[in-house]
Amino acid sequence: MTLEGALEADVRPTDGDSRTVSFAFTVTNAGSEPVELQFSDACKAEFVVRDGDREVWRYTEGRLFAQMLSREDLEPDGSSTYEAEWERPRTGEYTVTAELRTQEASCEARTSVTVPE
């Protein structure tokens, strides 16, 4: 089953407190057939924050994830949301990229985020 063109993605900052920025990455099956997402570990999405070309935070950096095969089925128009929390961000303007970590296809989204003083 091919996933190219079937998945659409969106990433947004969500409510957090003054010490964190939370992100929600939503993947939607825009195709007319069910899609099976297969994962090789417990981390289903990667989040990366950049200041220009410089990477300032990566969700998976310094974390361990259970090595286990899993899958999720997305029906047509169905979606799944993955979340991450960036702790102790510095004030500034950043770009966040979220990417689905499936075995068979890539799906990513990008947005800007402002961390106030």
Side-chain angles (χ1 to χ4, degrees), residues 22-50:
S22 297
F23 301 106
F25 175 49
T26 302
V27 176
T28 303
N29 178 0
S32 59
E33 298 292 324
V35 171
E36 180 182 280
L37 304 175
Q38 295 183 6
F39 302 94
S40 59
D41 64 24
C43 181
K44 297 179 179 180
E46 176 69 277
F47 296 80
V48 178
V49 175
R50 295 184 184 281

Side-chain angles (χ1 to χ4, degrees), residues 17 28 38 81 90 100 106 114:
D17 59 32
T28 303
Q38 295 183 6
T81 300
R90 289 199 146 128
L100 195 61
S106 66
T114 300

Side-chain angles (χ1 to χ4, degrees), residues 62-78:
R63 296 174 192 249
L64 298 174
F65 298 94
Q67 300 297 303
M68 60 185 216
L69 298 176
S70 66
R71 69 173 229 205
E72 287 184 35
D73 295 319
L74 286 182
E75 295 298 321
D77 295 321

